[in-house]
Amino acid sequence: MTSVRHYLQFSDLTPDEYHHLFARSQVLKRRQSAGELYRPLVGKVMSMVFEKNSTRTRVSFEAGMAQLGGHAMFLDTKSSQIGRGEPIEDTARVLSRMSDIIMIRTFEQGLVERLAAHSRVPVINGLTNEYHPCQVLADIFTYVERHGSIKGKTVAWIGDGNNVCRTWLQAARLLGFKLKVASPLGYELTALDGHHYGPDVLELTQDPVRAVQEADIVTTDVFTSMGYEAEQIARREAFAGYQVTVALMQHAKPHALFMHCLPAHRGEEVAAEVIDGPQSVVWDEAENRMHVQKALIEFLLLGRSQD
Ligand code: CP
Ligand code: NVA
């Protein structure tokens, strides 16, 4: 069991492994758009467990596995025994005897860690309350494919210090860029991994203008993440003034990219003119989920393939 690699947080891979994944994502993306078949995973099965809703994560994993020659199975809480209280350790033992890799989207990170601890096969985090590593992997690849290395660049996050934001923070430390986060009082980013993030990696402010200054990427997310719906009204009030507008984008670098993991709420966290405007790369981000996850699955199952 010790040799199985999991992808539970962004910090689970090394910078060198990320460089491999970005290069490999580019190869697999080019191959897919040229219509070339690449099917190293014939006969391999992914179990996908969803305890929260999804469009992109489900489709990108399912399409990606099919393209690699494998198969992906969808399980949700309602129709599986997970929703009836079967311990996650038992679910892990059973799923990993019948599938080659497991993807899970759930609430607590601790649950994903317990699943991985009892799995014989690699486990991928498809979003928890704490992290969303596949998203930031796709986002950074989206930057890399346009502009090259993200090292030394500045990323501005506007809004909730949530799972995606916390993943950007791990990525900043690992890949050598700076993260500037503007959040309202009470919604600040907190690190949960015990690392000290110095001022070269992280700057926290309440001022969105200050955060976007010098930014190469401006990114945001919904005011209310899945699982926090009861706070929706309070959040809408607290986040007033934290919309990414055309005026705010003008304080960033002239060709800064706008990113959003989606789904988006136009008129709340982002103005329609920005998300539908020329600096927005949100559709590339969504598509790239599939390409980077194919590279990730290949890496976890087959190692550093050169095929
Ligand atoms: N960005 C993202 O993870 O989208 P879904 O919730 O649709 O999977
Ligand atoms: N922060 C959002 C991301 C959705 C993809 C959530 O957790 O709901």
Side-chain angles (χ1 to χ4, degrees):
M1 242 191 239
T2 46
S3 64
V4 173
R5 294 284 300 270
H6 303 293
Y7 192 56
L8 310 186
Q9 309 186 18
F10 199 90
S11 56
D12 284 345
L13 298 183
T14 65
D16 186 53
E17 287 168 338
Y18 278 110
H19 296 138
H20 166 79
L21 283 190
F22 295 138
R24 199 60 194 155
S25 302
Q26 216 136 21
V27 169
L28 298 184
K29 184 172 182 175
R30 214 178 296 127
R31 207 169 272 180
Q32 184 65 23
S33 69
E36 283 173 37
L37 294 182
Y38 175 59
R39 293 180 163 162
L41 299 189
V42 171
K44 302 279 186 207
V45 172
M46 168 179 270
S47 288
M48 304 190 298
V49 179
F50 282 92
E51 297 209 81
K52 289 178 177 173
N53 289 14
S54 168
T55 297
R56 279 145 288 269
T57 302
R58 178 178 178 178
V59 174
S60 57
F61 274 110
E62 204 162 324
M65 277 302 286
Q67 289 168 15
L68 291 170
H71 178 75
M73 263 179 321
F74 176 83
L75 291 101
D76 66 6
T77 313
K78 252 189 236 149
S79 60
S80 70
Q81 299 289 5
I82 298 165
R84 294 183 63 247
E86 182 164 15
I88 197 69
E89 290 80 3
D90 293 355
T91 304
R93 292 179 180 110
V94 171
L95 292 184
S96 69
R97 282 181 181 226
M98 286 184 267
S99 41
D100 303 277
I101 188 160
I102 299 170
M103 193 286 307
I104 179 165
R105 164 169 287 196
T106 188
F107 293 86
E108 290 84 29
Q109 181 72 14
L111 192 112
V112 176
E113 280 160 15
R114 281 161 57 205
L115 177 74
H118 293 85
S119 170
R120 294 176 169 184
V121 302
V123 173
I124 298 175
N125 177 356
L127 181 147
T128 58
N129 290 347
E130 289 83 1
Y131 297 110
H132 196 1
C134 296
Q135 182 65 51
V136 174
L137 177 61
D139 295 351
I140 295 176
F141 174 64
T142 303
Y143 183 85
V144 168
E145 70 173 347
R146 284 171 180 256
H147 298 301
S149 174
I150 197 166
K151 196 177 176 130
K153 306 294 178 192
T154 299
V155 176
W157 176 276
I158 308 301
D160 193 12
N162 66 13
N163 46 6
V164 182
C165 181
R166 191 173 294 111
T167 307
W168 272 108
L169 178 60
Q170 289 196 331
R173 189 178 71 89
L174 224 62
L175 301 181
F177 61 89
K178 181 163 183 172
L179 180 67
K180 294 166 83 181
V181 181
S183 312
L185 206 62
Y187 298 93
E188 297 91 348
L189 171 64
T190 51
L192 298 173
D193 55 11
H195 283 295
H196 171 71
Y197 290 91
D200 50 325
V201 176
L202 176 64
E203 185 180 323
L204 296 175
T205 174
Q206 286 179 24
D207 179 3
V209 171
R210 186 173 166 165
V212 302
Q213 278 160 358
E214 297 303 310
D216 299 277
I217 297 172
V218 176
T219 183
T220 186
D221 192 1
V222 290
F223 294 160
T224 307
S225 286
M226 291 182 280
Y228 298 83
E229 289 80 2
E231 302 173 10
Q232 195 153 358
I233 294 169
R235 282 172 172 266
R236 207 171 278 160
E237 257 172 50
F239 287 97
Y242 287 83
Q243 183 180 112
V244 180
T245 58
V246 171
L248 185 64
M249 286 299 290
Q250 278 163 0
H251 292 279
K253 283 191 180 160
H255 300 291
L257 301 180
F258 172 74
M259 294 194 181
H260 191 309
C261 62
L262 304 174
H265 296 89
R266 289 170 177 77
E268 289 192 16
E269 75 275 8
V270 60
E273 294 77 7
V274 173
I275 193 168
D276 299 320
Q279 287 168 270
S280 172
V281 292
V282 298
W283 313 122
D284 286 348
E285 281 176 85
E287 178 188 332
N288 284 337
R289 287 289 302 276
M290 183 177 77
H291 303 299
V292 299
Q293 288 162 196
K294 283 170 70 179
L296 175 66
I297 293 165
E298 180 191 59
F299 175 73
L300 293 176
L301 290 181
L302 305 175
R304 293 189 193 224
S305 175
Q306 307 296 333
D307 277 8

